[in-house]
């Protein structure tokens, strides 16, 4: 039987090569993702190990906040702790560290970096203790020695074309942008900059001043004397300080924490890439199943002869499974090698997005090799099991038949089973989205898989009538070629539905994100119209602290303009309210109602002070809160009891936030205060053009502040959504491409199967052009079938998710009909492209040889 397997592989090498290509691409994507993320982890693990090699102990505040919105934020500690730490027995040297938002401006008055959508832009102090300083000065550089000097990272210097001695403007937290002389350019270890982030390094006194943190550090690091272990130094410092508000860690613990943060970041990259690789492999499994089903059907007489001469069912099954195993192993092996090369391409792409990965050799772990080979091989073998089982059931009497007999579709059984699976999947999705489950995401994932399985099981039931409807115009438009295309698509509903199912998955996800994006855009537009009544917004994107914002000095300048009637900055932050992660916004209580339609129900916003909070009516009703209720709110700087002074109607569901603070209250809760946006209402008689001109004048020193009217503000959200949508489309290209390979493979095998039939058609007068046209239109019918089903599933997914986001304000279900029609048209065109090779092959058949084919 092994000899039969080898001959079967050689005889059908082209069809198996196309099948292997589908597996190869999916495995390449998966292995490339694993190699890339393993490389990032290893590189940064080594980097942080080197950078923190001199740190034996570190002191920092216990107060911190790590919620579901943004990075961890931690309270600062008094700088006067530094002498106490340095005086501890066993401490060789100690120094303080402070990090804050600071953004470099290049020579063209453009900001370097985009912290709201990319790596952060930090300011920090230059440490005079060599063991504690991860920065390495480049030739010709020196440390900052005065308030007007700065050292910048080499990555930013290269991007801004800066050299030592140049002047650079820096946006800082406290006060207006300031100019500094570049005293030096430094590398972060061996990297030009840490993970694409930009750094401006000041003297300690200047860093504290521009951070608005006089007399404070974020942490104090210490170096141990010879013979003192990290644990011993940690314990001595902890005993000497004896402060419950502080925590002391060893250098190893700090390094492990940094490495864990990188692993979390890598997971953020790995998870979506692996998901899309899984989608590609799932699509490929349909192609494998279809290919082996057709091959087995075409080899009915061969299988029957094997049975007739004594071959057992097990031997026949083993022969088909062995073919699948060989195809899977070879495809997985080549895919693994291709993935190693793909990881380099992905690395370059990440560098292009601003996430710089320090130079380092690709890390190829044993787990990556084993998993890639196993996944590709197992999926191939599993997808071939059903065709192999069918091959073993071929009776010996079939050896005398001229053609294979197609099995009819059991409509009742398939309809019942498929419908049950489909309903189960839909129910699981709705339960996960709307039910009170701790891990609703698992229910959604299970439901999504069940919906695809149910649609696949139901496929043969609807394939014949659906193809009849889709192909209905073809006989009138294309004559005999159209008639043949329609009938061939209807001839084998199992094959047609399986081929269409591969495309259905990719299109369903494309349709889902298309519907979700258009609905989110409409929801945001409705929120802006409903809640905002400002004329202009000075916007710097969404971020926290070092991840975006500008100095409160800008809002003060805007408020002084005679063209401005009212203005207020908005500051965003994460908090834990009554133990739950949440999101708040801070504003000026005196002017907020002139800028936003907050719909106060009880109390007044002008009553807000540093010890009070405003809450939405929806949250107040849910929690049973009233005016005067004191609620515990945990900030990065610690927990405080805040009194409810205002209850309002326009909360998070309407596009704002369920919790509001005064600007003073915000400043007490967070170690760093930056404005994310400034809203402006013009004075009576001031035209929009005049108002914009006045705002541009005061905002000129702040190149990260973009002036937008309401229309532009809406478009900025749409642009961000489109950017994400474009990335999703790029990642889905592979899955759709594999699906098109499946269409080409199925048609090629179908042409081979119908060789004699096609020869007879040519003999009775059908032209090559008509034959090519019939094959192409058959591909269009299959592609449109898969696309329509996929879009229907995608629209349902989009509807369910949008409805689940009602509490976040995204309640507009608005699928873009135009975009969905474009997807259908594009799928039809892609079907034509996929059919080019099979159509050309069909047209080139030799008539006499085709007729004589058995």
């Amino acid at each position: 039987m092994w000899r039969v397997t080898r001959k079967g592989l050689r005889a059908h090498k082209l069809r198996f090569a196309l099948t292997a290509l589908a597996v190869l691409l999916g495995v390449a994507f998966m292995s490339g993702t694993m190699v890339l993320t393993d490389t990032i982890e290893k590189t940064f693990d080594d980097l942080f190990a080197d950078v923190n090699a001199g740190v034996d102990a570190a002191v920092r505040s216990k107060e911190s906040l790590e919620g579901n919105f943004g990075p961890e934020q931690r309270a600062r500690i008094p700088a006067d702790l530094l002498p106490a730490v340095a005086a501890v027995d066993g401490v060789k040297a100690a120094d303080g560290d402070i990090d804050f938002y600071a953004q470099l401006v290049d020579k063209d008055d453009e900001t370097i970096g985009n912290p709201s959508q990319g790596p952060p832009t930090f300011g920090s102090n230059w440490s005079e203790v060599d063991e504690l300083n991860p920065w390495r000065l480049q030739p010709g550089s020196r440390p900052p020695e005065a308030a007007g000097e700065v050292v910048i990272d080499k990555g930013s210097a290269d991007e801004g074309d800066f050299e030592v001695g140049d002047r650079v403007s820096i946006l800082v937290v406290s006060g207006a942008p300031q100019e500094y002389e570049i005293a030096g350019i430094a590398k972060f270890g061996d990297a030009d900059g840490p993970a694409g982030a930009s750094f401006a390094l000041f003297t300690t006194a200047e860093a504290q001043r521009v951070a608005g943190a006089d007399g404070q550090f974020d942490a104090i690091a210490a170096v141990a004397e010879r013979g003192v272990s990290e644990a011993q130094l940690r314990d001595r410092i902890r005993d000497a300080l004896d402060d419950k508000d502080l925590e002391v860690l060893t250098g190893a613990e700090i390094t492990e924490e940094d490495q864990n943060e990188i692993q979390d970041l890598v997971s953020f990259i790995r998870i979506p890439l692996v998901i899309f690789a899984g989608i590609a492999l799932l699509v490929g499994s349909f192609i494998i199943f279809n290919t082996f089903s057709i091959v087995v059907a075409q080899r009915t007489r061969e299988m029957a002869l094997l049975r007739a001469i004594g071959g057992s069912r097990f031997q026949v099954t083993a022969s088909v499974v062995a073919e699948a195993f060989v195809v899977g192993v070879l495809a997985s092996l080549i895919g693994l090698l291709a993935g190693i090369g793909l990881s380099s391409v992905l690395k370059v792409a990440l560098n292009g997005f601003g996430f710089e990965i320090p130079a380092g050799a690709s890390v190829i772990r044993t787990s990556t090799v084993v998993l890639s080979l196993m996944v590709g091989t197992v999926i191939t073998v599993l997808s071939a099991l059903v065709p192999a089982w069918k091959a073993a059931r071929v009776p010996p009497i079939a050896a005398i038949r001229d053609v294979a007999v197609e099995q009819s579709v059991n409509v009742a059984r398939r309809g019942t089973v498929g419908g049950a699976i489909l309903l189960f999947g839909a129910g699981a999705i709705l339960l996960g989205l709307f039910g009170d489950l701790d891990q609703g995401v698992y229910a959604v994932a299970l439901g999504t898989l069940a919906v695809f399985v149910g649609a696949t099981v139901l496929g043969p039931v609807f394939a014949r009538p659906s193809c009849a409807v889709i192909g209905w115009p073809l006989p009138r438009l294309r004559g005999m070629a159209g008639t043949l295309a329609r009938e061939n698509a209807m001839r084998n509903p199992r094959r047609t539905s399986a081929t269409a199912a591969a495309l259905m998955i990719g299109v369903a996800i494309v349709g889902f994100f298309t519907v979700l994006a258009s609905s989110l855009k409409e929801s945001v537009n409705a929120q802006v119209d409903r809640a905002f009544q400002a004329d202009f917004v000075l916007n710097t994107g969404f971020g926290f602290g070092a991840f975006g914002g500008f100095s409160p000095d800008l809002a003060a300048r805007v408020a002084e303009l005679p063209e401005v009637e009212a203005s207020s900055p908005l500051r965003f932050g994460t908090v834990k309210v009554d133990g739950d992660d949440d999101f708040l916004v801070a504003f000026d209580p005196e002017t907020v109602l002139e800028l936003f339609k907050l719909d106060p129900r009880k109390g007044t916003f002008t009553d807000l002070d540093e010890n009070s909070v405003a809450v939405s009516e929806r949250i107040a009703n849910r929690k049973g809160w009233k005016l005067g209720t004191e609620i515990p709110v945990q900030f990065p700087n610690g927990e405080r009891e805040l009194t409810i002074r205002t209850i309002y109607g326009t909360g998070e569901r309407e596009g704002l936030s369920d919790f509001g603070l005064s600007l003073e209250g915000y400043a007490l809760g967070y170690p760093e205060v930056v404005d994310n946006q400034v809203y402006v209402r013009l004075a009576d008689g001031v035209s929009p053009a005049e108002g914009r001109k006045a705002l541009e004048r005061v905002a000129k020193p702040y190149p990260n502040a973009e002036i937008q009217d309401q229309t532009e503000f809406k478009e900025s959200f749409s642009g961000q959504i489109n950017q994400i949508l474009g990335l999703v489309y790029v990642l889905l290209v592979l899955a759709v491409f594999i699906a098109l390979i499946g269409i080409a493979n199925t048609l090629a095998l179908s042409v081979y199967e119908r060789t004699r039939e096609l020869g007879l058609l040519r003999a009775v007068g059908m032209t090559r052009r008509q034959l090519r046209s019939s094959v192409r239109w058959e591909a269009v019918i299959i592609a449109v079938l898969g696309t329509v089903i996929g879009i229907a599933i995608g629209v349902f997914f989009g509807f369910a998710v949008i409805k689940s986001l009602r509490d976040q304000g995204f309640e507009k279900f608005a699928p873009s009909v135009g975009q969905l029609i474009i997807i259908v048209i594009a799928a039809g065109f892609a079907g034509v492209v996929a059919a080019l090779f099979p159509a050309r092959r069909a047209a080139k058949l030799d008539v006499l040889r085709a007729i004589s084919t058995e």
Side-chain angles (χ1 to χ4, degrees):
M1 294 304 295
W2 176 240
R3 187 180 305 170
V4 172
T5 300
R6 293 201 311 270
K7 289 184 177 180
L9 288 170
R10 285 197 299 267
H12 311 106
K13 50 183 176 290
L14 177 60
R15 66 193 68 175
F16 286 134
L18 289 173
T19 303
L21 182 59
V23 181
L24 184 157
L25 293 173
V27 171
F29 201 175
M30 183 186 72
S31 61
T33 296
M34 296 177 68
V35 170
L36 172 67
T37 52
D38 288 343
T39 301
I40 295 174
E41 281 188 10
K42 179 65 165 56
T43 302
F44 276 100
D45 283 353
D46 293 344
L47 176 63
F48 283 121
D50 293 340
V51 165
N52 294 322
V55 179
D56 294 308
V59 182
R60 66 186 186 186
S61 172
K62 276 187 177 179
E63 297 290 354
S64 66
L65 183 66
E66 183 176 7
N68 295 330
F69 310 93
E72 179 187 60
Q73 294 178 290
R74 186 176 296 275
R76 289 177 171 144
I77 60 176
D80 56 17
L81 288 173
L82 179 56
V85 173
V88 172
D89 182 33
V91 173
K92 177 183 177 182
D95 202 358
D97 173 72
I98 185 169
D99 295 314
F100 50 93
Y101 165 73
Q103 191 167 11
L104 301 169
V105 180
D106 65 20
K107 297 176 181 179
D108 296 323
D109 291 331
E110 299 288 338
T111 53
I112 295 177
N114 183 6
S116 66
Q117 296 184 18
T121 58
F122 285 111
S124 188
N125 62 310
W126 180 269
S127 177
E128 298 294 341
V129 180
D130 290 341
E131 295 94 332
L132 300 176
N133 192 338
W135 295 95
R136 305 291 176 256
L137 288 170
Q138 299 304 290
S141 300
R142 62 174 176 80
E145 298 173 351
E149 296 180 342
V150 68
V151 170
I152 66 174
D153 64 284
K154 188 176 184 302
S156 297
D158 291 342
E159 183 177 345
D161 195 23
F162 287 119
E163 297 179 355
V164 174
D166 287 347
R167 304 287 296 180
V168 59
S169 179
I170 303 179
L171 308 177
V172 293
V173 175
S174 180
Q178 301 175 41
E179 279 203 355
Y180 293 86
E181 179 184 344
I182 298 177
I185 296 172
K187 282 189 171 186
F188 187 77
D190 293 327
D192 289 347
S198 70
F199 265 83
L201 305 162
F202 308 87
T203 64
T204 297
E206 179 67 4
Q208 290 173 324
R209 185 189 71 81
V210 298
D214 291 333
Q216 293 180 313
F217 286 125
D218 286 317
I220 295 173
V223 182
E225 292 180 346
R226 185 184 298 274
V228 179
S229 69
E230 289 189 355
Q232 289 175 327
L233 188 65
R234 176 198 60 196
D235 295 340
R236 292 180 185 181
I237 294 174
R238 182 183 295 159
D239 293 340
L241 298 180
D242 191 24
D243 191 333
K244 295 181 179 179
D245 294 329
L246 301 174
E247 64 179 9
V248 187
L249 291 79
T250 65
E253 290 169 338
I254 291 291
T255 299
E256 183 181 2
E257 187 177 274
D258 290 338
Q259 292 172 343
N260 289 338
E261 289 180 0
I262 287 296
Q263 289 178 2
D264 292 340
L265 177 61
V266 169
S267 296
F268 183 75
I269 299 172
R270 177 190 287 129
I271 290 173
L273 291 178
V274 169
I275 288 174
F276 283 104
I279 292 170
L281 287 168
L282 179 62
V283 171
S285 67
F286 282 93
I287 297 173
I288 298 165
F289 172 83
N290 221 22
T291 300
F292 276 94
S293 295
I294 296 173
V295 168
V296 167
Q298 292 174 350
R299 295 162 63 188
T300 298
R301 293 185 67 188
E302 175 187 329
M303 301 297 179
L305 285 171
L306 289 174
R307 293 293 314 283
I309 61 175
S312 66
R313 288 189 173 183
F314 173 79
Q315 287 178 312
V316 174
T317 302
S319 174
V320 177
V321 170
E323 291 178 358
F325 178 80
V326 173
V327 171
V329 169
L330 291 177
S332 301
L333 184 60
I334 299 173
L336 172 64
L337 298 176
I340 296 172
L342 180 62
S343 68
S344 300
V345 176
L346 292 174
K347 181 178 178 181
V348 172
L350 286 177
N351 287 342
F353 279 107
F355 187 89
E356 180 189 353
I357 302 172
S362 295
V363 175
I364 307 171
R365 293 178 176 166
T366 303
S367 58
T368 299
V369 176
V370 173
L371 188 61
S372 298
L373 293 177
M374 282 186 59
V375 168
T377 304
V378 169
I379 286 178
T380 307
V381 171
L382 290 178
S383 300
L385 283 180
V386 173
W389 175 74
K390 288 183 178 180
R393 297 185 65 193
V394 174
I397 194 64
I400 63 175
R401 294 176 181 165
D402 290 331
V403 293
V405 178
E406 296 287 357
Q407 294 181 352
S408 61
V409 176
N410 190 322
V411 175
R413 185 174 63 186
R414 277 189 172 270
T416 301
V417 174
I421 296 174
L422 197 63
L423 289 174
F424 168 79
I429 291 174
L430 296 176
L431 179 63
L433 292 173
F434 300 101
D436 188 18
L437 300 180
D438 292 334
Q439 298 293 334
V441 64
Y442 296 116
V444 173
L446 177 62
T448 301
L449 181 61
V451 166
F452 283 129
V453 172
T456 302
V457 173
L458 284 172
V461 176
F462 297 104
R464 190 187 301 274
S466 298
C467 289
V469 173
I470 295 172
W472 175 77
L474 292 183
R476 295 164 180 79
L477 295 176
R478 307 302 300 175
M480 182 54 65
T483 300
L484 286 174
R486 183 171 179 242
E487 291 180 354
N488 286 333
M490 296 167 56
R491 176 184 297 184
N492 191 330
R494 277 198 181 90
R495 182 183 307 171
T496 298
S497 65
T499 306
L503 186 59
M504 171 196 72
I505 296 172
V507 171
I509 299 172
V510 170
F512 163 69
F513 279 101
T514 300
V515 170
L516 183 64
S518 61
S519 298
L520 290 179
K521 291 176 189 177
E522 289 300 317
S523 296
V524 168
N525 291 343
Q527 290 173 353
V528 172
D529 293 335
R530 181 168 53 220
F532 301 153
Q533 52 191 18
D535 295 309
F536 287 100
V537 181
L538 278 70
N539 193 14
T540 186
F542 184 82
F544 301 92
F547 289 76
F550 35 66
S551 168
D553 179 74
L554 176 58
R557 294 186 179 209
V558 169
E560 294 173 355
L561 288 173
E563 293 87 353
V564 173
E565 174 72 22
S567 67
S568 174
L570 287 194
R571 299 170 185 168
F572 306 133
T574 58
V575 288
K576 284 185 181 293
V577 182
D578 201 23
D580 296 327
D581 291 330
D582 227 303
F583 167 80
L584 64 78
V585 62
F587 44 73
D588 183 351
E590 299 292 334
T591 60
V592 66
L593 289 181
E594 298 183 58
L595 301 163
F596 304 96
K597 303 171 186 176
L598 290 177
D599 187 19
R601 302 292 174 86
K602 298 177 182 179
T604 61
F605 283 97
T606 53
D607 289 339
L608 288 178
D609 58 20
E610 60 189 29
N611 295 315
S612 58
V613 62
V615 301
S616 71
E617 186 175 52
R618 182 176 65 91
I619 293 296
N621 291 339
R622 179 189 298 174
K623 296 283 190 176
W625 294 337
K626 301 178 180 179
L627 288 183
T629 300
E630 292 187 350
I631 57 176
V633 181
Q634 183 182 347
F635 297 93
N637 284 348
E639 184 173 301
R640 294 170 27 222
E641 294 282 336
L642 299 183
T643 303
I644 298 177
R645 296 295 184 200
T646 311
I647 295 176
Y648 57 97
T650 307
E652 183 176 351
R653 183 170 177 176
E654 291 74 29
L656 290 176
S657 172
D658 287 325
F659 299 94
L661 287 183
S662 66
L663 299 177
E664 294 77 16
Y666 184 96
L668 288 178
Y670 295 86
E672 186 168 309
V673 177
V674 295
D675 294 336
N676 298 100
Q677 298 167 341
V678 178
Y679 287 78
V680 178
R681 184 175 181 180
L682 300 179
D684 292 341
V686 178
S687 68
E690 292 171 336
R692 184 184 289 272
K693 187 175 181 180
L695 292 173
E696 287 175 346
R697 186 170 63 250
V698 297
K700 185 176 181 180
Y702 299 85
N704 62 333
E706 184 178 358
I707 301 171
Q708 301 170 337
D709 58 24
Q710 283 200 14
T711 300
E712 292 166 335
F713 185 57
K714 295 175 185 177
E715 291 174 350
S716 69
F717 279 99
S718 296
Q720 294 176 16
I721 294 173
N722 289 337
Q723 186 177 8
I724 297 173
L725 188 63
L727 177 61
V728 170
Y729 283 167
V730 169
L731 293 175
L732 283 172
V733 163
L734 180 62
V736 175
F737 178 68
I738 292 175
L740 295 178
I741 290 176
I743 293 176
N745 199 13
T746 300
L747 291 174
L749 294 171
S750 180
V751 167
Y752 178 85
E753 187 180 51
R754 305 199 312 255
T755 298
R756 188 175 185 182
E757 172 189 326
L758 296 177
L760 289 171
L761 290 172
R762 291 277 288 114
V764 297
M766 190 176 212
T767 65
R768 289 185 174 181
R769 182 178 180 180
Q770 288 176 312
L771 194 55
R772 285 196 301 267
S773 179
S774 69
V775 175
R776 287 197 297 265
W777 281 109
E778 182 181 352
V780 170
I781 292 172
I782 295 173
V784 171
L785 174 63
T787 302
V788 170
I789 297 174
I791 286 178
I793 294 174
V795 169
F796 167 72
F797 287 169
F799 172 80
V801 170
I802 286 296
K803 291 304 179 183
S804 73
L805 295 175
R806 287 185 63 195
D807 286 346
Q808 283 71 46
F810 300 110
E811 55 185 16
K812 288 280 186 180
F813 176 65
S816 175
V817 177
Q819 288 181 319
L820 297 179
I821 292 175
I822 290 174
I823 292 174
V824 175
I825 295 173
F829 177 77
V832 173
V833 174
L836 288 178
F837 172 74
R840 182 170 175 269
R841 183 180 181 185
K844 292 179 66 177
L845 288 174
D846 182 274
V847 176
L848 294 179
R849 289 184 179 180
I851 293 174
S852 62
T853 300
E854 294 184 0

